[in-house]
């Protein structure tokens, strides 16, 4: 698995932000590194690759990773599909940038599929540019992903775990009332059938349900939401009136935060991803970053590679 992007929406620095972190990275402070928006590339055979979410940085991300480069045929590409954890713009808008592809398989929940046909009509917009195949993600079954007729060693086994029934802001009219039966956001447990090991990926978390906790506890490696350090991080700097919870994120620090929750998880590696530009852990040597390192919690970075 390759981390193509680490940052939350807007990247780092965020174009419309003048917070201290963004100023420091623009000024070339070595304690800060620019980051693209959160996305992963995963493969079971290092031949066919799948993006987990496709944001606005998708072209840069593909070019940053030689394994995703086109060839040897003039229009041949190792990119076989895109796995969507939700319908947020930061995770789906890159599908429009992939319109040159001849055919991709897109994976997501039924609510994501409906949204990409209606509120954010990606598929109607793409119909004259390319073809695609849709595969449903559901907590009711495991999905085998890979080449047709491929052996277990060439296949990803994907377990879908519900995270939230909260729709993106642009769909509020479409799903007014947040129907609890509608699964909008999911986490993924990616199983390596050859090694018997698995990676749990939850880029957004506002609460750790029993199902999510069980998924984290059985994973050998976990990558989870590291968006905010504190509940009122953006409020205190005057950037917004919305706190972390209202934006769908459990903060890292404080009682009941991500760091405390991870302390009870036996995974060999615990990694934070989807990090907002305001988060103090973006600074090398910061108190918050050092605290996490002492707890054995890693912070993802663009180009990070993990093998399960």
């Amino acid at each position: 698995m390759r981390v193509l992007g680490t940052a939350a929406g807007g990247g780092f620095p965020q174009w419309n932000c003048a917070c201290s972190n963004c100023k420091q990275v623009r000024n070339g402070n070595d304690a800060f590194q620019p980051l693209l928006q959160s996305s992963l590339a995963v493969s079971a055979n290092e031949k066919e690759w799948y993006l987990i979410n496709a944001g606005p940085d998708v072209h840069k991300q593909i070019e940053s990773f030689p394994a995703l480069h086109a060839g040897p045929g003039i229009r041949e590409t190792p990119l076989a599909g895109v796995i969507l954890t939700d319908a947020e713009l930061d995770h789906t808008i890159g599908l429009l940038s992939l319109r040159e592809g001849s055919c991709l398989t897109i994976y997501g929940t039924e609510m994501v599929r409906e949204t990409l046909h209606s509120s954010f009509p990606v598929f109607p917009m793409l119909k004259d540019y390319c073809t695609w195949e849709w595969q449903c993600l559901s907590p009711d079954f495991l999905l085998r992903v890979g080449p047709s007729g491929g052996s277990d060693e060439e296949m990803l086994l994907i377990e879908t775990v519900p995270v939230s029934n909260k729709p993106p802001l642009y769909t509020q009219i479409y799903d007014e009332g947040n129907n609890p039966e509608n699964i909008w956001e999911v986490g993924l447990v990616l199983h390596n059938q050859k090694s018997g090991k698995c990676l749990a990926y939850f880029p957004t978390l506002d609460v750790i349900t029993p199902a999510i906790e069980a998924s984290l506890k059985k994973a050998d490696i976990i990558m989870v939401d590291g968006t905010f350090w504190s509940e009122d991080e953006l409020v205190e700097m005057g950037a917004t009136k919305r706190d972390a919870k209202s934006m769908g994120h459990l903060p890292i620090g404080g009682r009941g935060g991500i760091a405390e929750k991870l302390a009870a998880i036996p995974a060999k590696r615990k990694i934070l991803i989807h990090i907002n530009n305001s988060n103090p852990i973006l600074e090398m040597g910061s108190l918050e970053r050092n605290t996490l390192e002492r707890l054995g919690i890693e912070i993802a970075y663009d180009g990070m590679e993990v093998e399960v």
Side-chain angles (χ1 to χ4, degrees):
M1 184 215 69
R2 168 90 168 206
V3 175
L4 300 176
T6 305
F12 182 57
Q14 184 171 305
W15 72 272
N16 68 331
C17 185
C19 73
S20 175
N21 282 356
C22 288
K23 287 181 178 179
Q24 292 294 334
V25 74
R26 289 191 185 106
N27 290 336
N29 187 329
D30 290 341
F32 297 84
Q33 296 297 318
L35 302 169
L36 298 177
Q37 291 189 207
S38 177
S39 179
L40 305 181
V42 297
S43 176
N45 58 13
E46 297 190 63
K47 297 176 182 178
E48 293 193 339
W49 288 85
Y50 297 83
L51 300 183
I52 300 185
N53 296 324
D57 299 329
V58 67
H59 277 178
K60 290 182 179 179
Q61 292 172 341
I62 289 173
E63 288 304 312
S64 74
F65 186 31
L68 293 178
H69 291 178
I74 188 65
R75 287 292 188 265
E76 187 177 353
T77 171
L79 183 58
V82 181
I83 303 166
L84 303 173
T85 61
D86 56 42
E88 295 288 348
L89 294 177
D90 292 330
H91 291 162
T92 58
I93 202 168
L95 294 174
L96 297 175
S97 297
L98 298 175
R99 65 188 179 278
E100 298 93 349
S102 57
C103 183
L104 291 173
T105 303
I106 313 298
Y107 303 82
T109 68
E110 179 62 22
M111 296 310 300
V112 171
R113 186 195 68 80
E114 291 184 19
T115 300
L116 297 183
H117 277 282
S118 54
S119 299
F120 180 36
V122 168
F123 291 141
M125 286 189 281
L126 290 179
K127 66 181 178 66
D128 293 326
Y129 295 91
C130 62
T131 59
W132 66 89
E133 178 185 345
W134 178 265
Q135 291 281 335
C136 184
L137 293 178
S138 170
D140 297 329
F141 57 85
L142 297 176
L143 189 66
R144 294 180 83 244
V145 174
S148 178
S151 65
D152 286 350
E153 294 180 8
E154 297 179 288
M155 308 293 286
L156 289 170
L157 189 63
I158 301 179
E159 181 181 351
T160 302
V161 184
V163 168
S164 174
N165 66 332
K166 178 183 177 183
L169 288 175
Y170 67 83
T171 61
Q172 288 292 355
I173 296 176
Y174 172 68
D175 192 46
E176 188 172 358
N178 294 356
N179 188 331
E181 296 183 1
N182 293 339
I183 301 173
W184 284 98
E185 296 184 12
V186 299
L188 306 172
V189 182
L190 307 177
H191 295 263
N192 181 331
Q193 298 184 81
K194 181 180 179 181
S195 69
K197 297 180 179 181
C198 63
L199 178 146
Y201 181 60
F202 289 83
T204 58
L205 283 176
D206 63 351
V207 63
I208 297 182
T209 64
I212 293 173
E213 183 176 7
S215 298
L216 297 178
K217 285 185 174 180
K218 73 182 178 184
D220 299 275
I221 300 175
I222 60 176
M223 299 190 77
V224 297
D225 188 346
T227 307
F228 299 114
W229 177 262
S230 61
E231 180 68 32
D232 297 321
E233 189 170 300
L234 290 179
V235 177
E236 290 178 354
M237 65 174 56
T240 182
K241 294 182 179 180
R242 299 174 67 200
D243 59 18
K245 181 69 173 179
S246 68
M247 297 175 73
H249 300 286
L250 185 64
I252 300 169
R255 177 171 293 183
I258 290 285
E260 182 180 281
K261 297 288 187 182
L262 292 186
I265 304 296
K268 294 180 180 178
R269 296 184 67 180
K270 308 168 187 180
I271 306 168
L272 297 179
I273 197 167
H274 197 275
I275 302 167
N276 198 61
N277 64 86
S278 58
N279 197 321
I281 68 173
L282 289 172
E283 181 181 4
M284 301 289 182
S286 68
L287 173 63
E288 293 83 359
R289 192 180 185 101
N290 289 340
T291 297
L292 293 177
E293 291 174 352
R294 286 194 298 271
L295 293 172
I297 299 173
E298 301 176 58
I299 299 167
Y301 55 87
D302 292 10
M304 184 181 200
E305 294 189 2
V306 175
E307 183 175 352
V308 181

